[in-house]
Amino acid sequence: MTDPAADGRPSTAVLLVNLGTPDAPTPAAVRRYLAQFLADPRVIDLPRWLWLPLLHGVILNLRPRRSARAYARIWTPQGSPLRVFSDALTAALDRRVRADSGNHVRVALAMCYGQPSIASVLDALQADGLRRLLVLPLYPQYSATSTGAVFDAVTTALQRWRWTPELRFINDYHADAAHIDALAQSVSAFRARHGAADVLLLSLHGIPQRYVRNGDPYFDQCMATARRLRVRLGLDDKQLLVSFQSRVGREPWLQPYTDQTLRELPARGVRHVQVLCPGFAVDCLETLEEIAIENRDAFLAAGGERFEYIPALNDSPAQVESLAGLLRRNLGGWLEADPAT
């Protein structure tokens, strides 16, 4: 392997990792994606002898067609929104980080499931002289089901390498002041254009309660994000509520559930609700279809009069700035030690 510093190639890279997406809104593509995603023991921790026959014998024969219809409702001419927005965020961050580092750090994107895979992106970085790697999963709150799965995939891929890079890993940024500011600015800007709702509902992805009892910090970090955002926006605990979406199966998940909450709010006198999903760095199926379409319909059917979804931060300047600051702090020492800088 040649020295990347010799020809100006960055030997330090930031790897952004998002969940992933099917290649197309078709049952076949969704089935391939779900087969990988739902087979991860980080996601479903049931015994393999019990779970895998159920997954391949029942779930993958039923769920892909239904999920494909949901994906088709939000698919864009450029492709999956999660991939489109993740690409845009990566490009913006790459420009910013290269400028900050004098072109000594690059930013790449991989998906934990689907394409581009973590292993393939790491192999490409290795071929281009990678010696230092900072991994940022695009999940503000840590969970073993998401951030933990990224750690597994990265370290598994690196086990194949003869010469492994120096490695740093950002577990979460749920309480990062600049991130909270970016969320608050997004809410304030939206309300400046559309007016303030009776309730701001923060809907975060759910996980089984059992995972939290077993030590997952996700719930506490979600509530910490909510507390900081409530203070930053000057709202009380009746004006800003927290709920959890996307539950599946029969066991209890984190509560209150988003769909039930939205059905109950009109009976409490709430006619106008705005929903923000602060667990998602970019918009995706869970925000654009589950929240902005399905749950909107549920709220209106229950007697609500006005429902508004506040978009994810995506590649907004505020998110690029907040993540660039996070990366700058976590890259500390590496650039100073690089003889090429």
Side-chain angles (χ1 to χ4, degrees):
M1 182 183 297
T2 59
D3 180 4
D7 56 12
R9 289 177 292 153
S11 60
T12 301
V14 173
L15 182 67
L16 304 182
V17 184
N18 212 335
L19 181 73
T21 178
D23 297 323
T26 64
V30 171
R31 190 181 194 281
R32 288 194 300 272
Y33 170 72
L34 290 178
Q36 183 185 10
F37 173 45
L38 296 177
D40 190 336
R42 285 287 198 176
V43 178
I44 306 293
D45 69 353
L46 296 173
R48 299 295 90 184
W49 64 264
L50 174 64
W51 173 244
L52 292 181
L54 179 62
L55 173 63
H56 291 279
V58 179
I59 294 172
L60 292 179
N61 290 322
L62 298 176
R63 188 168 172 181
R65 189 169 300 279
R66 181 173 68 252
S67 294
R69 288 195 295 268
Y71 276 107
R73 299 176 81 178
I74 62 162
W75 211 261
T76 74
Q78 294 77 34
S80 164
L82 181 142
R83 178 65 189 274
V84 171
F85 288 127
S86 295
D87 280 341
L89 175 59
T90 302
L93 265 176
D94 184 60
R95 290 191 295 269
R96 178 58 185 273
V97 169
R98 284 179 182 269
D100 286 349
S101 68
N103 201 40
H104 290 293
V105 181
R106 69 191 115 173
V107 180
L109 173 69
M111 299 295 173
C112 200
Y113 314 102
Q115 299 300 323
S117 70
I118 288 173
S120 67
V121 173
L122 287 177
D123 286 347
L125 290 172
Q126 180 192 38
D128 207 29
L130 177 70
R131 294 305 321 131
R132 302 182 185 94
L133 177 67
L134 172 62
V135 181
L136 173 59
L138 290 173
Y139 310 116
Q141 299 80 20
Y142 176 96
S143 173
T145 63
S146 53
T147 315
V150 173
F151 180 86
D152 291 350
V154 169
T155 54
T156 296
L158 293 179
Q159 287 175 24
R160 300 181 290 107
W161 292 25
R162 178 65 59 183
W163 188 10
T164 58
E166 295 179 65
L167 179 64
R168 293 178 182 174
F169 195 94
I170 299 176
N171 262 13
D172 65 82
Y173 52 99
H174 74 281
D176 180 76
H179 175 64
I180 299 298
D181 283 346
L183 291 172
Q185 290 170 27
S186 174
V187 173
S188 297
F190 189 92
R191 290 185 157 194
R193 296 191 302 271
H194 302 281
D198 302 327
V199 165
L200 173 64
L201 180 65
L202 304 186
S203 180
L204 295 115
H205 201 289
I207 61 174
Q209 292 179 8
R210 174 170 53 86
Y211 292 10
V212 174
R213 290 196 302 270
N214 290 339
D216 199 304
Y218 180 70
F219 177 79
D220 288 342
Q221 292 192 0
C222 288
M223 300 310 292
T225 297
R227 286 193 300 271
R228 285 166 169 78
L229 188 56
R230 183 182 285 120
V231 170
R232 179 67 172 73
L233 291 171
L235 302 177
D236 61 33
D237 57 6
K238 293 183 180 179
Q239 296 170 310
L240 186 149
L241 305 178
V242 179
S243 63
F244 297 90
Q245 64 183 83
S246 308
R247 72 186 187 279
V248 295
R250 297 180 179 179
E251 72 173 308
W253 281 41
L254 296 180
Q255 297 182 33
Y257 299 134
T258 294
D259 54 352
Q260 291 183 1
T261 299
L262 286 168
R263 291 188 181 96
E264 293 167 359
L265 283 177
R268 303 182 205 170
V270 175
R271 295 290 178 264
H272 180 193
V273 67
Q274 291 168 338
V275 182
L276 177 73
C277 297
F280 297 90
V282 302
D283 278 314
C284 56
L285 182 74
E286 286 80 3
T287 64
L288 299 177
E289 200 278 336
E290 183 180 353
I291 295 299
I293 298 177
E294 284 190 12
N295 280 278
R296 174 186 180 276
D297 292 346
F299 177 73
L300 297 179
E305 296 175 0
R306 188 174 171 190
F307 177 104
E308 291 163 331
Y309 169 65
I310 300 175
L313 293 175
N314 295 320
D315 63 334
S316 65
Q319 168 133 280
V320 172
E321 179 67 25
S322 68
L323 293 183
L326 180 68
L327 296 176
R328 193 179 306 116
R329 293 192 298 276
N330 282 274
L331 287 165
W334 273 355
L335 297 183
E336 293 84 345
D338 191 339
T341 61

